Amino acid sequence: MMIKENQSLLTFNTFGIDVNARHFSEVFSPGDLKEVFESHPSASHPHLVLGGGSNILFTSDFPGLVIKVSLKGIEVVEENEREVLVKAAAGEDWDQFVSYCVLHGWGGLENLSQIPGQVGSSPIQNIGAYGAELKDCFESLEAWGKSSGQIRQFSAEACRFGYRDSIFKREARGKYVILSVSFRLGKKSHKLKLGYGAIQAEFQNRGISQPTIADVREVICSLRRSKLPDPHVTGNAGSFFKNPVVEQSVFELLKAEYPGLVAFPDKGGMKLAAGWLIEKAGWKGFREGDAGVHPRQALVLVNYGNANGLEIAALSEKIKDSVRKMFGVELETEVNII
Ligand code: FAD
Ligand code: EPU
């Protein structure tokens, strides 16, 4: 286990922000973690646990220790004719894991294809896309408690999953390092989730009436490629904001004023398409220096090359202000600003 000094984080975050970590260590086992925490206790060194860096915006050099999680391994824990319980280590690449499951004919994660990042980060914001969320197949996770040094198991209930939310963004924030995540996936009896309009339309276009798990993955990858910028080409962290949920009465007032408003029923009211609000407020395709709003998806802020984190964060504040002024709606940031 090595601790490097003044490590550039440029290739460790998908926004492509050029900052340094004062100390940096890559951990491959729980033993490495223990060693790293013993040598750099959190009381004297701020810590940041890093996966694929695809949901992070760095606004300055990190003054403490960045711990890059690289624990590997995929294991079948239980299997019968109907389902399989599969456990993946935190450092596995999320999409490679999804692809592995799809190749084995295990269903449940296919709608979450092509989301960047690692398995260990996936429960933190209960990743979601195309009508599915991680919690739908989640069985449990193992996490290492920073203060106790003990491994604890979390059930789905203990994780308190919500829309882009879990206990790890609230009470347990920064207190655990997730080591592995287990999923219960379906075999022959698996029911595909095809409710999302764009998926149905694409199957119709392709003339596919009885799609397989692999077909769903294929269609979702192609939809995502057509909508979202590739971080290898243009720096970004996916949706910068969450879609805001407002009460039905607020939605009705807004809809009367803006008949084109896009919204979907959600627990507790209506979920508004933040991309629509931001586009309507005039930001889509906006660019100032190298910080901008993506021309095909207004919910995605981008770094065209040399923007720094403060410039992107400042742009995000201007967007929030203008959406608040125009619609009276508060946008909540999804990306972790460090
Ligand atoms: P990081 O960015 O490295 O970390 C995110 C947070 O988790 C940080 O707070 C970090 O400290 C913490 N963390 C990371 N690993 C661990 C660990 N092992 N233990 C404890 N804490 C940890 N998200 C969606 O939900 N749906 C989408 O459709 C989606 N599409 C995206 C598309 C693009 C092009 C991009 C760039 C991002 C997209 N995202 C999406 C956001 C992102 O991919 C997910 O949030 C992903 O789970 C982040 O994983 P990561 O490993 O990169 O996490
Ligand atoms: N829209 C616009 N203008 C835009 C963008 C969107 O009007 O510039 C409207 C369109 O009407 C569109 C609707 O918003 O029909 C929804 O857009 P889209 O299907 O692209 O989804 P989204 O709500 O913008 C969410 C997630 C994505 C996820 C997709 C697909 C959030 C914050 N974002 O985006 O997740 O991939 O749905 O399910 O919930 C992420 O979290 O990083 C992320 C990319």
Side-chain angles (χ1 to χ4, degrees):
M1 193 270 309
M2 245 174 61
I3 296 189
K4 297 184 189 163
E5 280 197 33
N6 295 324
Q7 166 73 49
S8 165
L9 296 177
L10 182 59
T11 57
F12 291 96
N13 72 97
T14 61
F15 248 125
I17 304 293
D18 193 5
V19 290
N20 283 347
R22 176 87 183 86
H23 294 110
F24 180 93
S25 184
E26 188 167 5
V27 295
F28 298 92
S29 67
D32 283 354
L33 256 182
K34 190 165 176 278
E35 223 180 292
V36 113
F37 276 91
E38 278 169 4
S39 64
H40 284 68
S42 52
S44 45
H45 298 79
H47 286 155
L48 175 70
V49 178
L50 190 63
S54 65
N55 207 21
I56 277 186
L57 176 66
F58 288 109
T59 53
S60 63
D61 286 339
F62 190 73
L65 172 69
V66 169
I67 300 160
K68 163 79 181 148
V69 175
S70 293
L71 287 80
K72 300 283 184 198
I74 299 176
E75 180 194 344
V76 171
V77 180
E78 275 171 34
E79 187 167 11
N80 61 33
E81 274 187 7
R82 281 185 309 111
E83 56 184 30
V84 58
L85 180 63
V86 59
K87 174 170 160 179
E92 290 289 339
D93 176 83
W94 173 260
D95 191 52
Q96 281 175 20
F97 173 58
V98 174
S99 163
Y100 178 93
C101 295
V102 169
L103 281 173
H104 282 77
W106 304 334
L109 300 178
E110 57 281 359
N111 292 46
L112 306 179
S113 288
Q114 225 182 67
I115 297 181
Q118 297 189 170
V119 167
S121 332
S122 62
I124 296 200
Q125 71 157 6
N126 177 29
I127 54 171
Y130 295 98
E133 284 186 324
L134 173 112
K135 71 172 173 50
D136 305 339
C137 300
F138 176 92
E139 178 76 9
S140 64
L141 64 78
E142 286 175 328
W144 190 81
K146 285 188 189 174
S147 55
S148 66
Q150 303 289 312
I151 296 178
R152 179 181 156 187
Q153 182 141 345
F154 285 77
S155 63
E157 196 189 347
C159 289
R160 297 212 226 120
F161 291 123
Y163 164 58
R164 297 293 189 276
D165 198 24
S166 77
I167 193 168
F168 301 102
K169 290 184 81 175
R170 297 178 180 272
E171 302 93 300
R173 188 182 197 101
K175 294 190 177 154
Y176 292 91
V177 181
I178 294 173
L179 302 174
S180 67
V181 188
S182 298
F183 299 90
R184 195 168 287 280
L185 304 176
K187 290 165 87 175
K188 283 189 189 122
S189 59
H190 173 64
K191 202 165 174 314
L192 296 172
K193 285 195 175 132
L194 305 173
Y196 207 90
I199 303 181
Q200 286 176 1
E202 193 58 29
F203 279 131
Q204 238 167 14
N205 275 347
R206 296 181 183 208
I208 298 177
S209 57
Q210 301 237 298
T212 61
I213 296 168
D215 290 333
V216 175
R217 173 169 167 80
E218 215 308 279
V219 158
I220 282 173
C221 289
S222 100
L223 280 171
R224 293 182 68 97
R225 275 192 296 271
S226 71
K227 282 193 172 188
L228 291 164
D230 176 355
H232 294 106
V233 179
T234 310
N236 76 92
S239 302
F240 200 88
F241 307 101
K242 288 165 65 165
N243 285 322
V245 178
V246 300
E247 285 175 15
Q248 183 70 25
S249 56
V250 174
F251 162 73
E252 277 162 18
L253 285 172
L254 282 170
K255 187 79 180 166
E257 196 174 348
Y258 301 99
L261 179 69
V262 179
F264 307 91
D266 192 83
K267 301 193 275 299
M270 292 293 280
K271 189 184 270 181
L272 309 181
W276 187 90
L277 300 173
I278 297 168
E279 179 175 348
K280 193 77 184 166
W283 291 101
K284 197 168 183 169
F286 175 88
R287 177 169 177 171
E288 190 170 49
D290 272 354
V293 178
H294 195 257
R296 288 199 309 274
Q297 221 314 351
L299 200 44
V300 177
L301 303 195
V302 289
N303 175 9
Y304 285 107
N306 293 314
N308 65 39
L310 287 174
E311 288 164 343
I312 289 171
L315 173 59
S316 81
E317 287 303 319
K318 288 187 198 164
I319 293 171
K320 276 185 173 183
D321 284 348
S322 86
V323 166
R324 189 184 304 116
K325 280 196 190 105
M326 188 160 174
F327 303 102
V329 171
E330 193 62 35
L331 292 180
E332 190 186 332
T333 302
E334 178 190 300
V335 171
N336 298 282
I337 300 182
I338 309 280

